[in-house]
């Protein structure tokens, strides 16, 4: 299963861009567990340059290494975004993960 996850307001608390909100550690940990179960985790974000690197670094510091980075919509099994599924926890309602 491929899971596309947004960074701002999804893996972080809500804050005005470019300020990075507090990282939602529980969400990052859920993604790490999904990845260990064989899911491909893709960072799907509009961030670029130093802001993108900041997002990658913050997640990496918590042990999440993304399988890919996508600055545009692509084919995934699940999209986790503050405008859609708000958390990885909601994924359990969609799938048996």
């Amino acid at each position: 299963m491929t899971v596309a996850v947004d960074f701002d307001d999804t893996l972080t608390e809500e804050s005005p861009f470019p300020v990075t909100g507090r990282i939602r550690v529980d969400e990052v940990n859920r993604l790490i567990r999904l990845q260990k179960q064989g899911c491909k985790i893709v960072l799907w974000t509009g961030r670029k340059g130093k802001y993108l690197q900041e997002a990658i670094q913050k997640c990496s510091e918590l042990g999440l290494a993304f399988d890919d980075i996508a600055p545009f919509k692509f084919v995934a099994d699940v999209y986790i975004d503050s405008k859609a599924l708000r958390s990885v926890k909601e994924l359990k309602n969609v799938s048996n993960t």
Side-chain angles (χ1 to χ4, degrees), residues 83-95:
K83 311 283 186 291
L85 287 179
R86 297 232 22 169
S87 72
V88 178
K89 193 184 288 185
E90 290 182 43
L91 183 59
K92 290 187 184 243
N93 295 329
V94 177
S95 170

Side-chain angles (χ1 to χ4, degrees), residues 11-43:
L11 294 181
T12 67
E13 298 291 330
E14 197 168 323
S15 63
F17 184 80
V19 175
T20 299
R22 194 181 62 139
I23 299 293
R24 294 179 172 159
V25 176
D26 57 331
E27 296 297 325
V28 171
N29 288 336
R30 286 185 187 103
L31 288 171
I32 291 169
R33 283 194 300 275
L34 286 172
Q35 199 171 43
K36 286 179 180 175
Q37 294 171 7
C39 292
K40 182 178 176 182
I41 308 298
V42 179
L43 178 61

Side-chain angles (χ1 to χ4, degrees), residues 25-96:
V25 176
D26 57 331
E27 296 297 325
V28 171
N29 288 336
R30 286 185 187 103
L31 288 171
I32 291 169
R33 283 194 300 275
L34 286 172
Q35 199 171 43
K36 286 179 180 175
Q37 294 171 7
C39 292
K40 182 178 176 182
I41 308 298
V42 179
L43 178 61
W44 170 47
T45 182
R47 284 181 168 236
K48 295 180 177 131
K50 69 179 184 179
Y51 301 113
L52 173 59
Q53 292 308 313
E54 178 185 21
I56 293 168
Q57 179 183 346
K58 298 261 184 197
C59 292
S60 177
E61 289 170 359
L62 294 171
L64 176 60
F66 294 102
D67 294 294
D68 205 349
I69 311 296
F72 49 85
K73 204 164 219 177
F74 63 100
V75 176
D77 298 297
V78 177
Y79 296 91
I80 301 173
D81 184 280
S82 59
K83 311 283 186 291
L85 287 179
R86 297 232 22 169
S87 72
V88 178
K89 193 184 288 185
E90 290 182 43
L91 183 59
K92 290 187 184 243
N93 295 329
V94 177
S95 170
N96 288 330

